Amino acid sequence: MDSRKHPTESSAPSERPPNDFFDPSKPQARRSMAFLALGALIGLGIAGYGLFTAKGTRSHTVPPEDLALINNRPILRSDFMTQVQTQFTVPFAQSTPDERKKVLEDMVAEELQVQRGLEIDLSSFDPDVRAAMVAGVQLEITADVMAQQPSEQQLRDYYAAHKDKYVGEGVLRMRDLVAKNGNALQAMTALRAGAPVEQIMQRYRLEDSGALMDSGHVDTGEIFEFAAKAKLGAAVYAAAALLHGGEISDPIQQSDGVHVVVMLEHRMPAQQDYATAADKVWTDYKSAAQTRVLEGNVAYLRSRADILLSDDARTLEARSQ
């Protein structure tokens, strides 16, 4: 029996494959997964550090520009100093520790209450808070407009484009007489002939309409056009507005009788020149600029808001367009 082993059979122990984990020249799946996991852990560590050290997170130190942090909301040193000077009307350096303590306590109390208001969503149901918030937003939006000073040419251009707004108010003295017995035409003729008003009133039994009464007495003093327009009926004022001093209107039929207007004096409305109207032009120009900015802001806010309207609300929206 041949005791020699076959050449393919070997009694030597089998060799282990070489370890390629740390050999960068050869691809290795386990090495790739290990590095991916390590990178993820490092990223999480960096993110956690940034989260707990970023501005706006809880902090146990007060920044140098702040005097205090209330639930991480700052009370600025500049605001504190201004408040001390305003409340006690002394320079900050001359204020006492007790005065400063009082202001600090007041500012802390105010901040706590503001934060509580935000916490309970006070603006959603308190009309005063909502109005204050709207006013604050509008003030912030228009701050730049109010700070800008229009040029002389801009003001003159605005005046030229809106001349109808700068007409001086007319002033008149008049009597508004009423005939209730059909004598209005005769009374008008007599008045136009120059007969005294009181005499004609007695002869034709005319009465004052009462529209221009003052404390129970007929007011024959000067009255502005806008006041006369408010007191007289539309038809009577329309007739009076065309009359000059000394003129008598045609009879005007009204529900309480036939009116005859006696114009004693009438200074007609006159166009104001730029120099006369300059102050009002400046005010109107700034007001118009504010309105444009506010309307533009509302349009922008609407464009980025999700507004869902009911059917009747959509109908109202359609009517306003």
Side-chain angles (χ1 to χ4, degrees), residues 2-38:
D2 188 359
S3 60
R4 293 176 298 175
K5 293 182 179 180
H6 193 275
T8 60
E9 297 177 359
S10 175
S11 59
S14 59
E15 297 181 358
R16 297 178 63 183
N19 190 346
D20 298 332
F21 187 86
F22 295 104
D23 187 354
S25 65
K26 297 180 180 180
Q28 227 283 344
R30 290 174 56 209
R31 183 179 65 235
S32 299
M33 295 299 295
F35 280 123
L36 284 174
L38 180 61

PDB file of all heavy atoms in Angstrom, residues 2-38:
ATOM      1  N   ASP A   2       0.523   2.212  -0.963  1.00  0.00           N
ATOM      2  CA  ASP A   2       1.355   3.418  -1.107  1.00  0.00           C
ATOM      3  C   ASP A   2       0.954   4.407  -0.044  1.00  0.00           C
ATOM      4  O   ASP A   2      -0.185   4.883   0.004  1.00  0.00           O
ATOM      5  CB  ASP A   2       1.179   3.989  -2.505  1.00  0.00           C
ATOM      6  CG  ASP A   2       2.173   5.117  -2.762  1.00  0.00           C
ATOM      7  OD1 ASP A   2       2.970   5.439  -1.849  1.00  0.00           O
ATOM      8  OD2 ASP A   2       2.100   5.702  -3.870  1.00  0.00           O
ATOM      9  N   SER A   3       1.930   4.698   0.876  1.00  0.00           N
ATOM     10  CA  SER A   3       1.628   5.623   1.973  1.00  0.00           C
ATOM     11  C   SER A   3       1.828   7.071   1.585  1.00  0.00           C
ATOM     12  O   SER A   3       1.597   7.975   2.372  1.00  0.00           O
ATOM     13  CB  SER A   3       2.518   5.298   3.188  1.00  0.00           C
ATOM     14  OG  SER A   3       3.873   5.436   2.820  1.00  0.00           O
ATOM     15  N   ARG A   4       2.288   7.336   0.381  1.00  0.00           N
ATOM     16  CA  ARG A   4       2.501   8.728  -0.050  1.00  0.00           C
ATOM     17  C   ARG A   4       1.158   9.397  -0.300  1.00  0.00           C
ATOM     18  O   ARG A   4       0.256   8.794  -0.894  1.00  0.00           O
ATOM     19  CB  ARG A   4       3.377   8.787  -1.286  1.00  0.00           C
ATOM     20  CG  ARG A   4       4.815   8.348  -1.038  1.00  0.00           C
ATOM     21  CD  ARG A   4       5.601   8.342  -2.321  1.00  0.00           C
ATOM     22  NE  ARG A   4       5.017   7.394  -3.257  1.00  0.00           N
ATOM     23  CZ  ARG A   4       5.448   7.245  -4.515  1.00  0.00           C
ATOM     24  NH1 ARG A   4       6.460   7.975  -4.963  1.00  0.00           N
ATOM     25  NH2 ARG A   4       4.882   6.344  -5.308  1.00  0.00           N
ATOM     26  N   LYS A   5       1.062  10.669   0.110  1.00  0.00           N
ATOM     27  CA  LYS A   5      -0.193  11.410  -0.094  1.00  0.00           C
ATOM     28  C   LYS A   5      -0.246  11.971  -1.478  1.00  0.00           C
ATOM     29  O   LYS A   5       0.774  12.205  -2.111  1.00  0.00           O
ATOM     30  CB  LYS A   5      -0.299  12.533   0.938  1.00  0.00           C
ATOM     31  CG  LYS A   5      -0.458  11.988   2.357  1.00  0.00           C
ATOM     32  CD  LYS A   5      -0.611  13.135   3.314  1.00  0.00           C
ATOM     33  CE  LYS A   5      -0.797  12.611   4.724  1.00  0.00           C
ATOM     34  NZ  LYS A   5      -0.937  13.717   5.670  1.00  0.00           N
ATOM     35  N   HIS A   6      -1.443  12.190  -1.939  1.00  0.00           N
ATOM     36  CA  HIS A   6      -1.662  12.796  -3.261  1.00  0.00           C
ATOM     37  C   HIS A   6      -1.128  14.202  -3.236  1.00  0.00           C
ATOM     38  O   HIS A   6      -1.233  14.913  -2.213  1.00  0.00           O
ATOM     39  CB  HIS A   6      -3.170  12.771  -3.581  1.00  0.00           C
ATOM     40  CG  HIS A   6      -3.426  13.072  -5.033  1.00  0.00           C
ATOM     41  ND1 HIS A   6      -3.513  14.332  -5.507  1.00  0.00           N
ATOM     42  CD2 HIS A   6      -3.597  12.235  -6.091  1.00  0.00           C
ATOM     43  CE1 HIS A   6      -3.752  14.293  -6.806  1.00  0.00           C
ATOM     44  NE2 HIS A   6      -3.823  12.998  -7.187  1.00  0.00           N
ATOM     45  N   PRO A   7      -0.583  14.634  -4.307  1.00  0.00           N
ATOM     46  CA  PRO A   7       0.007  15.987  -4.309  1.00  0.00           C
ATOM     47  C   PRO A   7      -0.966  17.081  -3.919  1.00  0.00           C
ATOM     48  O   PRO A   7      -0.587  18.111  -3.401  1.00  0.00           O
ATOM     49  CB  PRO A   7       0.508  16.163  -5.738  1.00  0.00           C
ATOM     50  CG  PRO A   7       0.694  14.788  -6.239  1.00  0.00           C
ATOM     51  CD  PRO A   7      -0.279  13.906  -5.544  1.00  0.00           C
ATOM     52  N   THR A   8      -2.267  16.842  -4.182  1.00  0.00           N
ATOM     53  CA  THR A   8      -3.250  17.896  -3.886  1.00  0.00           C
ATOM     54  C   THR A   8      -3.632  17.914  -2.425  1.00  0.00           C
ATOM     55  O   THR A   8      -4.232  18.867  -1.932  1.00  0.00           O
ATOM     56  CB  THR A   8      -4.506  17.719  -4.729  1.00  0.00           C
ATOM     57  OG1 THR A   8      -5.067  16.447  -4.425  1.00  0.00           O
ATOM     58  CG2 THR A   8      -4.192  17.824  -6.188  1.00  0.00           C
ATOM     59  N   GLU A   9      -3.331  16.883  -1.718  1.00  0.00           N
ATOM     60  CA  GLU A   9      -3.662  16.837  -0.316  1.00  0.00           C
ATOM     61  C   GLU A   9      -2.505  17.411   0.483  1.00  0.00           C
ATOM     62  O   GLU A   9      -1.364  17.044   0.258  1.00  0.00           O
ATOM     63  CB  GLU A   9      -3.928  15.399   0.118  1.00  0.00           C
ATOM     64  CG  GLU A   9      -5.136  14.791  -0.588  1.00  0.00           C
ATOM     65  CD  GLU A   9      -5.322  13.325  -0.179  1.00  0.00           C
ATOM     66  OE1 GLU A   9      -4.500  12.847   0.619  1.00  0.00           O
ATOM     67  OE2 GLU A   9      -6.305  12.716  -0.644  1.00  0.00           O
ATOM     68  N   SER A  10      -2.774  18.266   1.396  1.00  0.00           N
ATOM     69  CA  SER A  10      -1.714  18.920   2.178  1.00  0.00           C
ATOM     70  C   SER A  10      -2.079  18.876   3.636  1.00  0.00           C
ATOM     71  O   SER A  10      -3.241  19.083   4.015  1.00  0.00           O
ATOM     72  CB  SER A  10      -1.509  20.372   1.737  1.00  0.00           C
ATOM     73  OG  SER A  10      -0.589  20.998   2.567  1.00  0.00           O
ATOM     74  N   SER A  11      -1.091  18.628   4.433  1.00  0.00           N
ATOM     75  CA  SER A  11      -1.312  18.595   5.884  1.00  0.00           C
ATOM     76  C   SER A  11      -1.051  19.955   6.533  1.00  0.00           C
ATOM     77  O   SER A  11      -1.254  20.150   7.710  1.00  0.00           O
ATOM     78  CB  SER A  11      -0.380  17.546   6.513  1.00  0.00           C
ATOM     79  OG  SER A  11       0.968  17.871   6.220  1.00  0.00           O
ATOM     80  N   ALA A  12      -0.548  20.959   5.741  1.00  0.00           N
ATOM     81  CA  ALA A  12      -0.280  22.303   6.302  1.00  0.00           C
ATOM     82  C   ALA A  12      -1.583  22.998   6.617  1.00  0.00           C
ATOM     83  O   ALA A  12      -2.568  22.871   5.882  1.00  0.00           O
ATOM     84  CB  ALA A  12       0.547  23.130   5.327  1.00  0.00           C
ATOM     85  N   PRO A  13      -1.649  23.785   7.706  1.00  0.00           N
ATOM     86  CA  PRO A  13      -2.895  24.503   8.052  1.00  0.00           C
ATOM     87  C   PRO A  13      -3.229  25.543   6.987  1.00  0.00           C
ATOM     88  O   PRO A  13      -2.352  26.130   6.366  1.00  0.00           O
ATOM     89  CB  PRO A  13      -2.565  25.194   9.383  1.00  0.00           C
ATOM     90  CG  PRO A  13      -1.083  25.315   9.398  1.00  0.00           C
ATOM     91  CD  PRO A  13      -0.554  24.122   8.670  1.00  0.00           C
ATOM     92  N   SER A  14      -4.593  25.832   6.809  1.00  0.00           N
ATOM     93  CA  SER A  14      -5.049  26.789   5.769  1.00  0.00           C
ATOM     94  C   SER A  14      -4.697  28.214   6.179  1.00  0.00           C
ATOM     95  O   SER A  14      -4.780  28.579   7.357  1.00  0.00           O
ATOM     96  CB  SER A  14      -6.560  26.687   5.568  1.00  0.00           C
ATOM     97  OG  SER A  14      -7.242  26.954   6.777  1.00  0.00           O
ATOM     98  N   GLU A  15      -4.304  29.049   5.223  1.00  0.00           N
ATOM     99  CA  GLU A  15      -3.926  30.436   5.498  1.00  0.00           C
ATOM    100  C   GLU A  15      -5.147  31.342   5.503  1.00  0.00           C
ATOM    101  O   GLU A  15      -6.027  31.209   4.647  1.00  0.00           O
ATOM    102  CB  GLU A  15      -2.924  30.924   4.431  1.00  0.00           C
ATOM    103  CG  GLU A  15      -1.616  30.156   4.451  1.00  0.00           C
ATOM    104  CD  GLU A  15      -0.665  30.696   3.411  1.00  0.00           C
ATOM    105  OE1 GLU A  15      -1.086  31.641   2.677  1.00  0.00           O
ATOM    106  OE2 GLU A  15       0.454  30.214   3.341  1.00  0.00           O
ATOM    107  N   ARG A  16      -5.249  32.362   6.472  1.00  0.00           N
ATOM    108  CA  ARG A  16      -6.364  33.330   6.540  1.00  0.00           C
ATOM    109  C   ARG A  16      -6.153  34.433   5.521  1.00  0.00           C
ATOM    110  O   ARG A  16      -5.021  34.855   5.288  1.00  0.00           O
ATOM    111  CB  ARG A  16      -6.438  33.944   7.942  1.00  0.00           C
ATOM    112  CG  ARG A  16      -6.732  32.890   9.015  1.00  0.00           C
ATOM    113  CD  ARG A  16      -6.753  33.529  10.377  1.00  0.00           C
ATOM    114  NE  ARG A  16      -7.845  34.510  10.457  1.00  0.00           N
ATOM    115  CZ  ARG A  16      -8.052  35.270  11.527  1.00  0.00           C
ATOM    116  NH1 ARG A  16      -7.236  35.169  12.583  1.00  0.00           N
ATOM    117  NH2 ARG A  16      -9.051  36.112  11.555  1.00  0.00           N
ATOM    118  N   PRO A  17      -7.210  34.899   4.905  1.00  0.00           N
ATOM    119  CA  PRO A  17      -7.044  35.975   3.911  1.00  0.00           C
ATOM    120  C   PRO A  17      -6.527  37.227   4.592  1.00  0.00           C
ATOM    121  O   PRO A  17      -6.827  37.504   5.761  1.00  0.00           O
ATOM    122  CB  PRO A  17      -8.460  36.198   3.373  1.00  0.00           C
ATOM    123  CG  PRO A  17      -9.373  35.689   4.439  1.00  0.00           C
ATOM    124  CD  PRO A  17      -8.644  34.548   5.078  1.00  0.00           C
ATOM    125  N   PRO A  18      -5.732  38.015   3.909  1.00  0.00           N
ATOM    126  CA  PRO A  18      -5.180  39.246   4.521  1.00  0.00           C
ATOM    127  C   PRO A  18      -6.292  40.216   4.889  1.00  0.00           C
ATOM    128  O   PRO A  18      -7.315  40.283   4.215  1.00  0.00           O
ATOM    129  CB  PRO A  18      -4.260  39.796   3.427  1.00  0.00           C
ATOM    130  CG  PRO A  18      -4.796  39.239   2.165  1.00  0.00           C
ATOM    131  CD  PRO A  18      -5.329  37.869   2.487  1.00  0.00           C
ATOM    132  N   ASN A  19      -6.114  41.061   5.954  1.00  0.00           N
ATOM    133  CA  ASN A  19      -7.095  42.053   6.406  1.00  0.00           C
ATOM    134  C   ASN A  19      -6.919  43.335   5.583  1.00  0.00           C
ATOM    135  O   ASN A  19      -5.880  43.994   5.676  1.00  0.00           O
ATOM    136  CB  ASN A  19      -6.879  42.362   7.885  1.00  0.00           C
ATOM    137  CG  ASN A  19      -8.010  43.185   8.464  1.00  0.00           C
ATOM    138  OD1 ASN A  19      -8.801  43.733   7.721  1.00  0.00           O
ATOM    139  ND2 ASN A  19      -8.069  43.237   9.789  1.00  0.00           N
ATOM    140  N   ASP A  20      -7.989  43.689   4.790  1.00  0.00           N
ATOM    141  CA  ASP A  20      -7.923  44.874   3.910  1.00  0.00           C
ATOM    142  C   ASP A  20      -8.599  46.092   4.525  1.00  0.00           C
ATOM    143  O   ASP A  20      -8.782  47.105   3.858  1.00  0.00           O
ATOM    144  CB  ASP A  20      -8.584  44.562   2.558  1.00  0.00           C
ATOM    145  CG  ASP A  20      -7.873  43.449   1.810  1.00  0.00           C
ATOM    146  OD1 ASP A  20      -6.666  43.311   2.042  1.00  0.00           O
ATOM    147  OD2 ASP A  20      -8.544  42.748   1.023  1.00  0.00           O
ATOM    148  N   PHE A  21      -9.019  46.028   5.813  1.00  0.00           N
ATOM    149  CA  PHE A  21      -9.804  47.120   6.416  1.00  0.00           C
ATOM    150  C   PHE A  21      -9.040  48.439   6.408  1.00  0.00           C
ATOM    151  O   PHE A  21      -9.600  49.498   6.140  1.00  0.00           O
ATOM    152  CB  PHE A  21     -10.182  46.757   7.850  1.00  0.00           C
ATOM    153  CG  PHE A  21     -11.138  47.740   8.481  1.00  0.00           C
ATOM    154  CD1 PHE A  21     -12.507  47.625   8.302  1.00  0.00           C
ATOM    155  CD2 PHE A  21     -10.659  48.798   9.244  1.00  0.00           C
ATOM    156  CE1 PHE A  21     -13.371  48.528   8.882  1.00  0.00           C
ATOM    157  CE2 PHE A  21     -11.515  49.706   9.816  1.00  0.00           C
ATOM    158  CZ  PHE A  21     -12.892  49.570   9.629  1.00  0.00           C
ATOM    159  N   PHE A  22      -7.758  48.389   6.683  1.00  0.00           N
ATOM    160  CA  PHE A  22      -6.970  49.613   6.756  1.00  0.00           C
ATOM    161  C   PHE A  22      -6.146  49.860   5.499  1.00  0.00           C
ATOM    162  O   PHE A  22      -5.260  50.701   5.500  1.00  0.00           O
ATOM    163  CB  PHE A  22      -6.037  49.554   7.966  1.00  0.00           C
ATOM    164  CG  PHE A  22      -6.779  49.536   9.275  1.00  0.00           C
ATOM    165  CD1 PHE A  22      -6.907  48.350   9.987  1.00  0.00           C
ATOM    166  CD2 PHE A  22      -7.376  50.679   9.776  1.00  0.00           C
ATOM    167  CE1 PHE A  22      -7.591  48.333  11.189  1.00  0.00           C
ATOM    168  CE2 PHE A  22      -8.048  50.659  10.977  1.00  0.00           C
ATOM    169  CZ  PHE A  22      -8.180  49.489  11.697  1.00  0.00           C
ATOM    170  N   ASP A  23      -6.439  49.121   4.444  1.00  0.00           N
ATOM    171  CA  ASP A  23      -5.711  49.306   3.181  1.00  0.00           C
ATOM    172  C   ASP A  23      -6.529  50.195   2.267  1.00  0.00           C
ATOM    173  O   ASP A  23      -7.514  49.751   1.666  1.00  0.00           O
ATOM    174  CB  ASP A  23      -5.455  47.954   2.523  1.00  0.00           C
ATOM    175  CG  ASP A  23      -4.542  48.100   1.297  1.00  0.00           C
ATOM    176  OD1 ASP A  23      -4.234  49.260   0.934  1.00  0.00           O
ATOM    177  OD2 ASP A  23      -4.153  47.073   0.733  1.00  0.00           O
ATOM    178  N   PRO A  24      -6.167  51.478   2.165  1.00  0.00           N
ATOM    179  CA  PRO A  24      -6.985  52.397   1.354  1.00  0.00           C
ATOM    180  C   PRO A  24      -6.945  52.104  -0.132  1.00  0.00           C
ATOM    181  O   PRO A  24      -7.762  52.621  -0.892  1.00  0.00           O
ATOM    182  CB  PRO A  24      -6.368  53.766   1.661  1.00  0.00           C
ATOM    183  CG  PRO A  24      -4.965  53.476   2.054  1.00  0.00           C
ATOM    184  CD  PRO A  24      -5.001  52.146   2.754  1.00  0.00           C
ATOM    185  N   SER A  25      -6.019  51.274  -0.559  1.00  0.00           N
ATOM    186  CA  SER A  25      -5.920  50.983  -1.996  1.00  0.00           C
ATOM    187  C   SER A  25      -6.948  49.960  -2.444  1.00  0.00           C
ATOM    188  O   SER A  25      -7.118  49.722  -3.639  1.00  0.00           O
ATOM    189  CB  SER A  25      -4.506  50.501  -2.333  1.00  0.00           C
ATOM    190  OG  SER A  25      -4.241  49.257  -1.680  1.00  0.00           O
ATOM    191  N   LYS A  26      -7.621  49.326  -1.479  1.00  0.00           N
ATOM    192  CA  LYS A  26      -8.588  48.287  -1.829  1.00  0.00           C
ATOM    193  C   LYS A  26      -9.956  48.662  -1.262  1.00  0.00           C
ATOM    194  O   LYS A  26     -10.060  49.111  -0.118  1.00  0.00           O
ATOM    195  CB  LYS A  26      -8.144  46.941  -1.261  1.00  0.00           C
ATOM    196  CG  LYS A  26      -6.829  46.447  -1.842  1.00  0.00           C
ATOM    197  CD  LYS A  26      -6.443  45.104  -1.244  1.00  0.00           C
ATOM    198  CE  LYS A  26      -5.112  44.624  -1.833  1.00  0.00           C
ATOM    199  NZ  LYS A  26      -4.724  43.306  -1.266  1.00  0.00           N
ATOM    200  N   PRO A  27     -11.016  48.508  -2.043  1.00  0.00           N
ATOM    201  CA  PRO A  27     -12.368  48.798  -1.541  1.00  0.00           C
ATOM    202  C   PRO A  27     -12.764  47.837  -0.434  1.00  0.00           C
ATOM    203  O   PRO A  27     -12.422  46.648  -0.492  1.00  0.00           O
ATOM    204  CB  PRO A  27     -13.242  48.636  -2.783  1.00  0.00           C
ATOM    205  CG  PRO A  27     -12.479  47.747  -3.694  1.00  0.00           C
ATOM    206  CD  PRO A  27     -11.024  48.015  -3.441  1.00  0.00           C
ATOM    207  N   GLN A  28     -13.485  48.380   0.553  1.00  0.00           N
ATOM    208  CA  GLN A  28     -13.869  47.554   1.676  1.00  0.00           C
ATOM    209  C   GLN A  28     -15.215  48.058   2.219  1.00  0.00           C
ATOM    210  O   GLN A  28     -15.337  49.186   2.674  1.00  0.00           O
ATOM    211  CB  GLN A  28     -12.799  47.638   2.764  1.00  0.00           C
ATOM    212  CG  GLN A  28     -12.374  46.311   3.347  1.00  0.00           C
ATOM    213  CD  GLN A  28     -13.410  45.772   4.332  1.00  0.00           C
ATOM    214  OE1 GLN A  28     -14.270  46.503   4.775  1.00  0.00           O
ATOM    215  NE2 GLN A  28     -13.325  44.483   4.639  1.00  0.00           N
ATOM    216  N   ALA A  29     -16.271  47.263   2.151  1.00  0.00           N
ATOM    217  CA  ALA A  29     -17.620  47.678   2.525  1.00  0.00           C
ATOM    218  C   ALA A  29     -17.716  48.011   4.004  1.00  0.00           C
ATOM    219  O   ALA A  29     -18.331  49.012   4.389  1.00  0.00           O
ATOM    220  CB  ALA A  29     -18.622  46.584   2.154  1.00  0.00           C
ATOM    221  N   ARG A  30     -17.095  47.199   4.849  1.00  0.00           N
ATOM    222  CA  ARG A  30     -17.165  47.454   6.285  1.00  0.00           C
ATOM    223  C   ARG A  30     -16.511  48.772   6.649  1.00  0.00           C
ATOM    224  O   ARG A  30     -16.984  49.520   7.510  1.00  0.00           O
ATOM    225  CB  ARG A  30     -16.486  46.303   7.038  1.00  0.00           C
ATOM    226  CG  ARG A  30     -17.265  44.985   6.990  1.00  0.00           C
ATOM    227  CD  ARG A  30     -16.463  43.869   7.628  1.00  0.00           C
ATOM    228  NE  ARG A  30     -16.103  44.220   8.989  1.00  0.00           N
ATOM    229  CZ  ARG A  30     -15.005  43.772   9.607  1.00  0.00           C
ATOM    230  NH1 ARG A  30     -14.160  42.999   8.949  1.00  0.00           N
ATOM    231  NH2 ARG A  30     -14.743  44.112  10.858  1.00  0.00           N
ATOM    232  N   ARG A  31     -15.376  49.076   5.977  1.00  0.00           N
ATOM    233  CA  ARG A  31     -14.705  50.344   6.252  1.00  0.00           C
ATOM    234  C   ARG A  31     -15.592  51.525   5.854  1.00  0.00           C
ATOM    235  O   ARG A  31     -15.695  52.527   6.569  1.00  0.00           O
ATOM    236  CB  ARG A  31     -13.375  50.399   5.520  1.00  0.00           C
ATOM    237  CG  ARG A  31     -12.583  51.682   5.821  1.00  0.00           C
ATOM    238  CD  ARG A  31     -11.247  51.710   5.114  1.00  0.00           C
ATOM    239  NE  ARG A  31     -11.400  51.750   3.678  1.00  0.00           N
ATOM    240  CZ  ARG A  31     -10.858  50.875   2.841  1.00  0.00           C
ATOM    241  NH1 ARG A  31     -10.131  49.868   3.301  1.00  0.00           N
ATOM    242  NH2 ARG A  31     -11.034  50.971   1.537  1.00  0.00           N
ATOM    243  N   SER A  32     -16.259  51.444   4.717  1.00  0.00           N
ATOM    244  CA  SER A  32     -17.140  52.520   4.245  1.00  0.00           C
ATOM    245  C   SER A  32     -18.273  52.762   5.222  1.00  0.00           C
ATOM    246  O   SER A  32     -18.609  53.909   5.566  1.00  0.00           O
ATOM    247  CB  SER A  32     -17.689  52.179   2.857  1.00  0.00           C
ATOM    248  OG  SER A  32     -16.649  52.033   1.927  1.00  0.00           O
ATOM    249  N   MET A  33     -18.929  51.704   5.707  1.00  0.00           N
ATOM    250  CA  MET A  33     -20.031  51.861   6.640  1.00  0.00           C
ATOM    251  C   MET A  33     -19.554  52.456   7.969  1.00  0.00           C
ATOM    252  O   MET A  33     -20.235  53.283   8.583  1.00  0.00           O
ATOM    253  CB  MET A  33     -20.686  50.495   6.883  1.00  0.00           C
ATOM    254  CG  MET A  33     -21.354  49.900   5.646  1.00  0.00           C
ATOM    255  SD  MET A  33     -22.682  50.965   5.024  1.00  0.00           S
ATOM    256  CE  MET A  33     -23.825  50.878   6.394  1.00  0.00           C
ATOM    257  N   ALA A  34     -18.365  52.050   8.402  1.00  0.00           N
ATOM    258  CA  ALA A  34     -17.844  52.572   9.661  1.00  0.00           C
ATOM    259  C   ALA A  34     -17.579  54.072   9.580  1.00  0.00           C
ATOM    260  O   ALA A  34     -17.907  54.844  10.493  1.00  0.00           O
ATOM    261  CB  ALA A  34     -16.569  51.820  10.047  1.00  0.00           C
ATOM    262  N   PHE A  35     -17.000  54.508   8.470  1.00  0.00           N
ATOM    263  CA  PHE A  35     -16.730  55.941   8.312  1.00  0.00           C
ATOM    264  C   PHE A  35     -18.018  56.749   8.182  1.00  0.00           C
ATOM    265  O   PHE A  35     -18.116  57.878   8.663  1.00  0.00           O
ATOM    266  CB  PHE A  35     -15.813  56.172   7.111  1.00  0.00           C
ATOM    267  CG  PHE A  35     -14.359  55.912   7.408  1.00  0.00           C
ATOM    268  CD1 PHE A  35     -13.632  54.998   6.665  1.00  0.00           C
ATOM    269  CD2 PHE A  35     -13.703  56.574   8.445  1.00  0.00           C
ATOM    270  CE1 PHE A  35     -12.292  54.755   6.940  1.00  0.00           C
ATOM    271  CE2 PHE A  35     -12.365  56.340   8.727  1.00  0.00           C
ATOM    272  CZ  PHE A  35     -11.648  55.416   7.973  1.00  0.00           C
ATOM    273  N   LEU A  36     -19.031  56.197   7.519  1.00  0.00           N
ATOM    274  CA  LEU A  36     -20.320  56.884   7.409  1.00  0.00           C
ATOM    275  C   LEU A  36     -20.945  57.073   8.789  1.00  0.00           C
ATOM    276  O   LEU A  36     -21.473  58.139   9.118  1.00  0.00           O
ATOM    277  CB  LEU A  36     -21.266  56.095   6.504  1.00  0.00           C
ATOM    278  CG  LEU A  36     -21.003  56.182   5.000  1.00  0.00           C
ATOM    279  CD1 LEU A  36     -21.923  55.232   4.233  1.00  0.00           C
ATOM    280  CD2 LEU A  36     -21.224  57.614   4.517  1.00  0.00           C
ATOM    281  N   ALA A  37     -20.890  56.024   9.611  1.00  0.00           N
ATOM    282  CA  ALA A  37     -21.450  56.122  10.960  1.00  0.00           C
ATOM    283  C   ALA A  37     -20.693  57.151  11.797  1.00  0.00           C
ATOM    284  O   ALA A  37     -21.276  57.947  12.542  1.00  0.00           O
ATOM    285  CB  ALA A  37     -21.406  54.744  11.626  1.00  0.00           C
ATOM    286  N   LEU A  38     -19.352  57.139  11.669  1.00  0.00           N
ATOM    287  CA  LEU A  38     -18.547  58.101  12.412  1.00  0.00           C
ATOM    288  C   LEU A  38     -18.866  59.535  11.994  1.00  0.00           C
ATOM    289  O   LEU A  38     -18.979  60.442  12.827  1.00  0.00           O
ATOM    290  CB  LEU A  38     -17.056  57.802  12.201  1.00  0.00           C
ATOM    291  CG  LEU A  38     -16.065  58.737  12.922  1.00  0.00           C
ATOM    292  CD1 LEU A  38     -16.277  58.654  14.434  1.00  0.00           C
ATOM    293  CD2 LEU A  38     -14.633  58.378  12.542  1.00  0.00           C
TER     294      LEU A  38
END
